[in-house]
Amino acid sequence: TEQPHTAGGLSYATFISAATNNETDIKTSAGKVYFLSVQSIDATPVYVKFFNTTAANTTMGTTAAVYQFMCPAAATAANGAGLVLTFPTGIEHTTAICVAVTTGMALADNTATSANEVVVTIGYK
């Protein structure tokens, strides 16, 4: 049985999209991703791309993400769309955890999102 704890839980990173590829270091050393939440009011799907490296060692438009998740397009900005995923055993990153949020599906895509249209929260250790 799991018991509540006051220490030792997940760390969280959260950000709101800028009019960029939103490349962000979540953790600059090895770790695991346990939780992903994405909400979007963008009229196109957005893709959260994960890299097993730091932003300094990722060349957007060239470096392919090791995996990604799509948040569907919002039917209307008032309604929005979302994606919430949990990974009970975590997704391992042996070097670092870096993410980018783009509007293109290709793993190496570098297409900027619109500013203030996507909210991303990641739980990690």
Side-chain angles (χ1 to χ4, degrees), residues 19-115:
T20 68
N21 62 29
N22 300 282
E23 184 181 24
T24 303
D25 278 328
I26 302 302
K27 188 174 184 195
T28 57
S29 59
K32 287 186 174 185
V33 173
Y34 289 88
F35 174 85
L36 172 66
S37 174
V38 184
Q39 285 73 46
S40 175
I41 58 171
D42 201 333
T44 60
V46 296
Y47 300 85
V48 180
K49 301 170 185 309
F50 286 82
F51 301 88
N52 185 26
T53 185
T54 62
N57 293 312
T58 302
T59 303
M60 292 302 298
T62 301
T63 306
V66 292
Y67 62 96
Q68 70 180 350
F69 299 98
M70 181 193 79
C71 179
T76 67
N79 292 338
L83 169 72
V84 177
L85 300 170
T86 59
F87 313 104
T89 59
I91 299 174
E92 185 174 21
H93 288 243
T94 56
T95 303
I97 304 170
C98 175
V99 300
V101 182
T102 71
T103 58
M105 184 183 291
L107 290 173
D109 182 75
N110 192 29
T111 309
T113 61
S114 297

